[in-house]
């Protein structure tokens, strides 16, 4: 690199998924004329393999031809999240959504089309309007590839540098407390290096690996967010973990069966048992269907939305079916997700055009054809509504110069995420907030990072090397993979949908025990080339810290809201209409939990009820 390039301002983006690539594209676009900023894009995997590629169902944007509106989308999002999110940013996101769809259309994303040639839409949970644009069952992949092509263009012009195969370790701060660099590790050579930067964007997704098996990829371990949390960043709403109602099991991970299957008419059912009953919303006791015949319990309990109730409600109902009513398929923790009737009525070609990707996944891993027989599914940990606290106007964290975007931040979803809002929030935050604001911040700095004394960076490189060496030299009797398995098992058992305070206390005690046992592990690979063992141990260290943030946030929230359900506190509590904030206390190595007020000025909070259609704040018939 020439000396002139060295003297340009630099912005590091950690994560090459939709949030990272959209941020990179916007920053490069803004610096195209002056050529004064270089994006340094860090990704554990090649960006085209980032976890966004796994998103299947679609991306939301109001479709006015069906009577929808951006305000209705806004209302559905706020209402679906049980009012636990600041409303201003959500409205901006929903207002921007149609233009984002148009942008991707111009980029060449092969969205499915209607007979008239318009972008087709499907319904997703929590709405009565078909507003989800989709590209078969590979929407995330198509959006990611489109952004990657644009970023490659700027890479060719020298405005983007990719560091694929590098893992973020920590941030460096100048004497004024502003971020001035990052420390990262090459995953092949194991070199640890400092990168002076003038702003930092964290776009690393969620912490699914804390739960062991989830629908996330292995790179979703929360290391970057947890590392910043230990450096003083606030972590918000950590306890709000979304459990997706439909997934298939696997020894390695859980594989998502997209909400698009239900959006295209898929039905959830079990065999009925008239000897068992449920209580409807009017307090009437009703039989659980007819014995031995399909019981479409979501359609019966929620006639207005049927199989497309929001994810938290569908998941909770499936838990009741399996664990309370004992009506799981063949006594196992499964219910049926059935699309075979669609294939019989409209033909295999119709279903393949809409859902081919996910049906192939099921057939590959289960060995049966979902065109012919119902799929066996069960809820799985899928998404974190919580993440790094960010300012609702700039997306800067409380650490100066550090921004966050996508699932790594906490805005936009509240207590429950509507399906197909995740891709939208990732792209919106990168294009419209984090990317532009990072440029403004980088340009406003009095002194560029490259001008700072090298000693600042060398000290942090030494600190990270010393920590890695400390882990490498551990030679105890514990196996880090077994510790991770214990962590995942107890988190999945006690901190998913149904939460009990006594179980949460025991979970926190167990995590603290695992933290002590962690220092008695052995890292079997002592080599300095592509050492996966030390990476695993390093990630586990941070996952244990993030697990305590999740558990203690859940323990102190004595109410049920969205994806957080406590049988002892089954209703929402106005005292908890607040954002949970976790900050790290280095004196006792624990989170401190506090709360922050939420902006509900645009739509007054109201009780969620998906059993019937009501007039929404938008004045239209909706949830």
């Amino acid at each position: 690199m020439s000396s002139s390039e060295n003297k340009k301002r630099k912005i590091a983006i950690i994560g090459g998924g939709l949030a990272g690539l959209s941020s990179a594209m916007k920053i490069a676009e803004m610096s195209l004329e002056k050529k004064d900023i270089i994006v340094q894009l860090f990704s554990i995997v090649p960006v085209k393999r980032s976890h966004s590629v796994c998103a299947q169902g679609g991306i939301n944007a109001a479709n006015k031809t069906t009577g929808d509106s951006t305000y209705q989308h806004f209302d559905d999002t706020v209402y679906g999240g049980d009012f636990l999110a600041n409303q201003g940013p959500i409205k901006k996101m929903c207002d921007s959504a149609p233009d984002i769809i148009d942008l991707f259309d111009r980029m060449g994303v092969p969205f499915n089309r209607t007979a008239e040639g318009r972008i087709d839409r499907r319904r997703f949970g929590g709405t009565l309007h078909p507003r989800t644009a989709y590209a078969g069952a590979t929407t995330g992949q198509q959006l990611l590839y489109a952004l990657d092509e644009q970023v490659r263009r700027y890479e060719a012009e020298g405005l983007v540098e990719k560091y694929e195969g590098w893992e973020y370790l920590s941030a460096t701060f100048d004497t004024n407390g502003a971020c001035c660099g990052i420390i990262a590790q090459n995953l092949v050579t194991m070199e640890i290096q400092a990168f002076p930067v003038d702003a930092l964007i964290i776009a690393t997704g969620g912490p699914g690996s804390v739960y062991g098996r989830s629908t996330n990829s292995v790179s979703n371990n929360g290391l970057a967010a947890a590392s910043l949390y230990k450096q003083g960043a606030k972590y918000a709403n950590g306890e709000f973990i979304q459990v997706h109602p439909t997934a298939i099991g696997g020894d390695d991970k859980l594989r998502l069966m997209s909400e698009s299957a239900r959006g295209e008419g898929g039905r959830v059912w079990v065999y009925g048992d008239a000897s068992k009953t449920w209580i409807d919303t009017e307090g009437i006791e009703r039989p659980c269907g007819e014995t031995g015949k399909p019981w479409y319990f979501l359609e019966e309990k929620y006639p207005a939305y049927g199989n497309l109730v929001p994810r938290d409600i569908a998941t909770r109902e499936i838990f009741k079916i399996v664990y309370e009513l004992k009506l799981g398929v063949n006594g196992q923790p499964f219910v049926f997700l059935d699309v075979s009737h669609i294939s019989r009525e409209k033909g295999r070609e119709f279903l393949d055009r809409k859902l081919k990707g996910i049906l192939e996944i099921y057939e590959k891993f289960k060995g049966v054809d979902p065109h012919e027989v119902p799929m066996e599914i069960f809820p799985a940990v899928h998404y974190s509504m919580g993440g790094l606290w960010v300012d609702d106007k700039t997306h800067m964290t409380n650490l100066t110069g550090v921004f966050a975007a996508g699932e790594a931040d906490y805005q936009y979803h509240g207590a429950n995420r509507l399906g197909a809002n995740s891709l939208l929030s990732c792209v919106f935050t990168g294009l419209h907030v984090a990317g532009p604001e990072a440029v403004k911040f980088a340009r406003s700095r009095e002194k560029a990072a490259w001008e700072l004394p090298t000693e600042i960076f060398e000290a942090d490189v030494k600190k990270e090397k010393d920590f890695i060496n400390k882990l490498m030299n551990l030679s105890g009797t514990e196996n880090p993979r077994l510790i991770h398995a214990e962590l995942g098992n107890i988190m999945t058992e006690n901190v998913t949908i149904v939460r009990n305070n006594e179980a949460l206390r025991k979970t926190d005690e167990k995590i603290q025990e695992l933290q002590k046992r962690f220092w008695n592990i052995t890292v079997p690979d002592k080599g300095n080339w592509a050492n996966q063992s030390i990476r695993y141990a390093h990630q586990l260290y941070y996952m244990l810290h993030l697990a305590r943030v999740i558990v203690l946030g859940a323990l102190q929230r004595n109410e049920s809201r969205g994806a957080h359900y406590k049988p002892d506190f089954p209703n929402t509590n106005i005292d908890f209409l607040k954002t949970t904030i976790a900050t790290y206390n280095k004196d006792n190595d624990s989170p401190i939990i506090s709360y922050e007020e939420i902006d509900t000025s645009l739509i007054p909070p109201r009780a969620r009820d998906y059993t019937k259609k009501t007039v929404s704040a938008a004045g239209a018939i909706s949830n």
Side-chain angles (χ1 to χ4, degrees):
M1 184 180 295
S2 69
S3 58
S4 62
E5 286 177 317
N6 268 327
K7 294 182 179 181
K8 291 180 179 179
R9 304 277 167 130
K10 295 180 180 177
I11 297 175
I13 299 174
I14 314 302
L18 287 178
L21 287 177
S22 59
S23 298
M25 183 180 79
K26 185 63 178 180
I27 293 168
E29 177 187 297
M30 291 178 70
S31 60
L32 184 60
E33 183 178 347
K34 294 182 179 180
K35 290 186 168 49
D36 60 331
I37 294 177
I38 292 177
V39 174
Q40 295 184 317
L41 182 60
F42 292 80
S43 178
I44 292 174
V45 297
V47 296
K48 291 179 77 169
R49 295 287 304 279
S50 298
H51 184 63
S52 295
V53 80
C54 298
Q56 300 163 340
I59 177 171
N60 281 340
N63 179 14
K64 296 180 181 179
T65 62
T66 64
D68 198 4
S69 68
T70 57
Y71 198 93
Q72 186 64 59
H73 183 191
F74 166 48
D75 184 83
D76 287 343
T77 301
V78 170
Y79 183 76
D82 224 340
F83 297 89
L84 203 75
N86 294 310
Q87 295 178 5
I90 295 176
K91 188 174 187 302
K92 291 177 183 176
M93 177 183 76
C94 295
D95 287 343
S96 300
D99 289 339
I100 288 173
I101 298 296
D102 289 344
L103 174 64
F104 278 115
D105 193 26
R106 296 197 305 275
M107 285 183 187
V109 170
F111 289 114
N112 280 51
R113 301 279 171 170
T114 65
E116 296 81 15
R118 294 174 176 169
I119 294 175
D120 199 7
R121 310 294 179 114
R122 56 169 55 123
R123 270 186 65 204
F124 258 49
T127 177
L128 296 175
H129 295 279
R131 69 165 64 105
T132 304
Y134 62 98
T138 61
T139 309
Q141 180 185 38
Q142 303 307 325
L143 300 185
L144 192 75
Y145 285 10
L147 287 173
D148 181 51
E149 288 179 0
Q150 297 299 316
V151 171
R152 285 173 184 268
R153 166 196 164 194
Y154 293 118
E155 188 179 7
E157 295 189 27
L159 295 173
V160 175
E161 299 171 353
K162 282 182 182 166
Y163 292 85
E164 296 174 325
W166 286 76
E167 185 162 48
Y168 169 91
L169 301 181
S170 62
T172 294
F173 296 89
D174 62 22
T175 54
N176 295 319
C179 178
C180 62
I182 69 163
I183 311 300
Q185 184 170 32
N186 185 306
L187 299 181
V188 176
T189 66
M190 306 307 291
E191 171 194 11
I192 294 175
Q193 183 177 329
F195 293 84
V197 299
D198 300 284
L200 167 62
I201 299 176
I202 301 295
T204 50
S209 292
V210 171
Y211 284 79
R213 293 186 307 153
S214 72
T215 64
N216 293 180
S217 67
V218 294
S219 60
N220 291 92
N221 53 61
L223 185 153
S227 173
L228 283 167
Y229 154 75
K230 289 204 69 180
Q231 288 188 282
K234 297 177 182 178
Y235 198 90
N237 285 345
E239 67 267 32
F240 287 98
I241 301 293
Q242 184 171 78
V243 179
H244 196 288
T246 57
I248 59 175
D251 291 335
D252 54 343
K253 64 170 288 183
L254 305 174
R255 289 173 173 82
L256 179 67
M257 285 294 103
S258 170
E259 199 163 305
S260 57
R262 286 173 286 137
E264 295 296 344
R267 306 179 77 183
V268 178
W269 61 276
V270 291
Y271 285 106
D273 185 343
S275 68
K276 298 180 179 180
T277 60
W278 64 284
I279 306 297
D280 70 11
T281 55
E282 305 298 326
I284 300 173
E285 187 174 11
R286 299 184 182 277
C288 296
E290 297 182 49
T291 302
K293 294 184 178 180
W295 179 36
Y296 301 99
F297 55 93
L298 290 177
E299 296 171 38
E300 183 171 336
K301 293 186 173 187
Y302 303 94
Y305 289 81
N307 296 292
L308 285 172
V309 291
R311 292 175 177 177
D312 59 320
I313 292 176
T315 298
R316 204 178 302 172
E317 291 296 341
I318 293 172
F319 266 61
K320 289 180 182 177
I321 288 292
V322 168
Y323 293 119
E324 293 181 25
L325 296 174
K326 309 295 184 185
L327 291 176
V329 176
N330 296 322
Q332 299 298 310
F334 301 108
V335 298
F336 287 126
L337 171 59
D338 194 356
V339 297
S340 62
H341 61 286
I342 304 175
S343 198
R344 290 192 297 270
E345 293 167 6
K346 299 184 178 181
R348 295 178 66 98
E349 183 180 322
F350 172 87
L351 205 56
D352 281 343
R353 189 170 70 251
K354 303 273 190 171
L355 303 172
K356 184 176 181 180
I358 67 169
L359 300 185
E360 288 178 338
I361 290 172
Y362 190 86
E363 185 169 6
K364 177 178 180 179
F365 287 97
K366 299 296 284 189
V368 294
D369 184 357
H371 286 279
E372 305 293 337
V373 298
M375 296 179 281
E376 296 180 357
I377 58 90
F378 192 70
V381 169
H382 178 56
Y383 194 91
S384 173
M385 280 73 73
L388 290 168
W389 179 93
V390 292
D391 178 84
D392 62 359
K393 294 181 177 62
T394 66
H395 266 248
M396 189 186 293
T397 69
N398 61 299
L399 301 179
T400 304
V402 180
F403 300 78
E407 193 182 350
D409 78 73
Y410 87 107
Q411 297 276 16
Y412 306 100
H413 307 307
N416 173 63
R417 179 177 68 82
L418 293 186
N421 263 6
S422 62
L423 302 189
L424 174 62
S425 65
C426 287
V427 176
F428 170 77
T429 52
L431 285 181
H432 292 280
V433 197
E437 292 296 332
V439 170
K440 290 180 187 177
F441 181 83
R443 285 175 173 165
S444 71
R445 298 189 71 149
E446 183 177 343
K447 183 177 288 188
W450 62 266
E451 299 179 88
L452 297 175
T454 58
E455 291 82 4
I456 295 177
F457 306 102
E458 291 169 354
D460 282 348
V461 168
K462 182 179 185 304
K463 187 186 301 181
E464 291 300 332
K465 285 182 177 179
D466 288 346
F467 185 69
I468 295 292
N469 288 333
K470 180 179 180 180
L471 297 182
M472 189 85 81
N473 291 327
L474 293 175
S475 57
T477 58
E478 294 281 358
N479 185 326
R481 294 194 177 273
L482 294 181
I483 290 178
H484 186 201
E486 288 186 52
L487 173 66
N489 288 340
I490 197 166
M491 291 293 291
T492 300
E493 181 179 354
N494 295 332
V495 205
T496 51
I497 289 294
V498 180
R499 300 171 177 191
N500 175 280
N501 279 347
E502 184 57 31
L504 290 171
R505 277 188 281 269
K506 290 181 179 178
T507 302
D508 186 51
E509 291 171 3
K510 180 66 174 180
I511 295 169
Q512 292 181 71
E513 174 202 315
L514 295 177
Q515 286 180 311
K516 291 177 181 177
R517 287 167 52 191
F518 173 85
W519 294 107
N520 190 36
I521 65 170
T522 290
V523 177
D525 186 351
K526 306 296 183 182
N528 59 2
W529 187 266
N531 188 330
Q532 294 299 304
S533 296
I534 189 61
R535 279 193 64 219
Y536 190 91
H538 192 216
Q539 292 165 2
L540 177 60
Y541 170 80
Y542 283 107
M543 282 191 276
L544 288 165
H545 279 279
L546 203 49
R548 291 204 70 202
V549 169
I550 295 169
V551 172
L552 290 179
L555 178 61
Q556 295 191 31
R557 183 174 283 274
N558 283 329
E559 66 161 357
S560 294
R561 189 182 294 273
H564 173 101
Y565 179 67
K566 283 188 176 179
D568 292 339
F569 303 92
N571 301 313
T572 58
N573 183 340
I574 191 66
D575 293 336
F576 283 99
L577 187 60
K578 295 180 176 69
T579 298
T580 303
I581 302 292
T583 52
Y584 178 65
N585 183 347
K586 62 181 180 181
D587 292 333
N588 62 9
D589 200 31
S590 295
I592 298 173
I593 302 297
S594 60
Y595 298 93
E596 180 180 271
E597 294 297 323
I598 292 171
D599 174 16
T600 60
S601 61
L602 299 176
I603 301 177
R606 63 189 191 273
R608 292 170 85 209
D609 182 2
Y610 288 93
T611 63
K612 57 183 179 294
K613 299 178 182 179
T614 61
V615 178
S616 76
I621 298 298
S622 183
N623 39 332

